[in-house]
Amino acid sequence: MVGISGGIDSTVVAALCARALGPDKVLGVIMPETDSSPDSQKLAENLARHLGIEFIVENITGALDGFNCYQRRNEAIKEVFPDFKPEYKTKITIGSNPLEGAALNYFKVSMEKPDGEMKSKRLPLKQYLQVVAASNFKQRTRMSSLYYHAERLNRAVAGTGNKDEHELGFFVKYGDGGADLKPIAHLFKMQVFQLAEYLQVPEEIRRRIPTTDTYSAEVTQTDFFFGVNFDILDPAWWAMEHDVPAARVAEELNLTEDQVMRIYRDIQQKKRNTTYLRLHPLEIE
Amino acid sequence: MEFHKNILNIDAAKVTDDLTELIRRQIRQDLKREGAVVGISGGIDSTVVAALCARALGPDKVLGVIMPRGGGRYQRGY
């Protein structure tokens, strides 16, 4: 049982499960909603055909409407952009880049009008939290759908988070974080790309730039959360874990030592701030 | 220890004190959150948890979410 999005992570997990269990024992669940990129569903369907696994398309827009997901998100955006209309495309990006300045993380919201006009503003914490909390209904609804099929078929839900997402907290607790096994949670994104190549998953998926596919205006994962591309972030992180001198890292990755230190601090800060996402419910001993 | 029918009796005052202390520590220090959200059903378990949270954190730091069947919006999505 795997939720497949047309992204590289779920593709690799689905391919691994198909190898491990046989394609007839893997069900791909495609769960688009109104803000999803139309490409995603197509890619996910093509993947399922490529792997020879069964797939089901569950459009979750109705469920999300039932949760007032869109209404609650739009309400917060309207507080920042009073002229916002529900048909405008929106996205959230991080306002700082560890390569340029100190890792002072704040967020920006951008709104794209139908005529192409783009407006961006700093997003105050309260509205940011509401936009994210409302959007998280998407991942949690997908988790519910996955467990519906898993329990119906006596199967397990395979999670698709990689190490970057898992350890830096780029996942929704009990949303995409809710799964029975997480086979690639220890692998850097750069390593997931290598598995994808080895497993010969469709080229069209390997070539895609990772996006969140959560906001109506497309936003890359670099812009939304990580701030640095994976080909820099991942080797720098490995170096940090293995106490490689910053000077050597800077030389190898074409950065200044200062930039390396800022990446390190950003990693540590994200890990620290998202600890509670990785904690199981606290019980009394 | 000898078994008898009242073996599960507790010192409710002490358990309440221990639990409120623990809830405070878990929410503020371990989880680093500002308060609690509790789903309240009108049943005894959620009632006790909500009451303990209110004691531990102050009533203004506890939000009870009541999620009844029917009456609210319901739409089916495929």
Side-chain angles (χ1 to χ4, degrees):
Chain A
M1 187 70 40
V2 193
I4 50 176
S5 64
I8 194 91
D9 299 307
S10 58
T11 293
V12 164
V13 170
L16 289 171
C17 288
R19 276 204 180 209
L21 309 165
D24 57 316
K25 295 291 178 200
V26 182
L27 173 66
V29 187
I30 305 171
M31 295 167 284
E33 46 89 25
T34 190
D35 292 331
S36 306
S37 152
D39 293 348
S40 299
Q41 182 176 340
K42 221 162 213 82
L43 290 168
E45 284 180 17
N46 289 346
L47 168 72
R49 288 189 198 101
H50 171 86
L51 295 174
I53 64 173
E54 193 191 335
F55 70 89
I56 292 176
V57 179
E58 293 258 13
N59 191 308
I60 59 168
T61 304
L64 294 171
D65 251 328
F67 278 124
N68 290 332
C69 162
Y70 306 109
Q71 190 203 315
R72 289 167 161 167
R73 179 200 60 195
N74 293 347
E75 178 187 270
I77 292 173
K78 246 183 128 68
E79 288 173 18
V80 180
F81 292 120
D83 58 335
F84 171 78
K85 298 267 186 315
E87 62 269 25
Y88 294 177
K89 290 188 168 187
T90 55
K91 66 177 179 186
I92 290 181
T93 50
I94 48 175
S96 65
N97 174 339
L99 293 183
E100 285 162 11
L104 222 179
N105 285 331
Y106 68 95
F107 299 89
K108 285 192 310 197
V109 60
S110 307
M111 160 175 95
E112 194 183 328
K113 291 188 177 179
D115 63 7
E117 190 196 342
M118 195 77 167
K119 279 189 180 177
S120 293
K121 262 193 192 173
R122 190 171 171 151
L123 190 55
L125 184 64
K126 176 174 173 276
Q127 283 76 15
Y128 165 75
L129 291 175
Q130 184 167 332
V131 169
V132 171
S135 302
N136 287 353
F137 273 121
K138 297 179 180 182
Q139 285 81 357
R140 293 200 175 98
T141 300
R142 293 193 175 107
M143 181 274 294
S144 295
S145 281
L146 285 171
Y147 273 96
Y148 166 72
H149 291 292
E151 289 173 346
R152 175 174 74 81
L153 298 167
N154 196 30
R155 292 187 182 183
V157 174
T160 62
N162 57 52
K163 177 178 167 114
D164 297 75
E165 297 176 330
H166 182 73
E167 290 189 27
L168 300 185
F170 182 48
F171 67 91
V172 176
K173 195 173 188 177
Y174 303 124
D176 47 331
D180 296 312
L181 64 157
K182 298 185 179 177
I184 61 168
H186 64 298
L187 293 178
F188 288 107
K189 187 82 172 189
M190 294 304 288
Q191 298 172 322
V192 176
F193 281 120
Q194 293 167 58
L195 278 187
E197 192 178 350
Y198 173 76
L199 293 165
Q200 295 193 310
V201 307
E203 180 74 26
E204 53 185 12
I205 292 177
R206 270 152 45 198
R207 272 203 318 264
R208 265 182 125 194
I209 292 167
T211 71
T212 64
D213 211 12
T214 296
Y215 297 95
S216 50
E218 201 153 278
V219 50
T220 68
Q221 292 187 354
T222 300
D223 289 341
F224 178 71
F225 184 80
F226 295 107
V228 187
N229 284 329
F230 297 113
D231 58 347
I232 298 287
L233 176 68
D234 287 353
W237 188 354
W238 187 93
M240 185 180 87
E241 285 179 340
H242 293 82
D243 299 318
V244 180
R248 173 76 193 105
V249 181
E251 180 195 5
E252 183 70 18
L253 299 178
N254 250 322
L255 300 170
T256 66
E257 269 188 63
D258 228 33
Q259 288 175 317
V260 173
M261 295 315 293
R262 280 201 294 265
I263 292 174
Y264 286 5
R265 272 198 297 276
D266 195 52
I267 291 170
Q268 281 154 353
Q269 193 185 18
K270 284 192 166 97
K271 274 183 159 182
R272 212 173 31 243
N273 290 345
T274 58
T275 305
Y276 90 101
L277 295 176
R278 285 175 297 274
L279 287 179
H280 294 288
L282 303 177
E283 294 172 21
I284 314 287
E285 297 304 308
Chain B
M1 202 190 291
E2 209 196 323
F3 175 73
H4 55 89
K5 67 181 180 194
N6 297 326
I7 193 77
L8 296 177
N9 286 6
I10 54 173
D11 178 348
K14 184 179 183 311
V15 172
T16 297
D17 282 348
D18 291 349
L19 287 179
T20 50
E21 180 57 41
L22 207 75
I23 288 170
R24 252 197 304 274
R25 201 176 68 221
Q26 289 182 334
I27 289 185
R28 291 183 188 158
Q29 285 162 40
D30 300 338
L31 297 162
K32 299 197 167 51
R33 304 288 105 184
E34 291 172 23
V37 175
V38 190
I40 49 178
S41 63
I44 189 89
D45 299 306
S46 59
T47 296
V48 167
V49 170
L52 288 170
C53 286
R55 273 201 184 216
L57 308 164
D60 58 315
K61 295 290 181 201
V62 183
L63 174 65
V65 185
I66 304 169
M67 294 166 281
R69 312 203 306 190
R73 287 182 58 183
Y74 177 78
Q75 270 183 303
R76 196 156 179 184
Y78 290 98

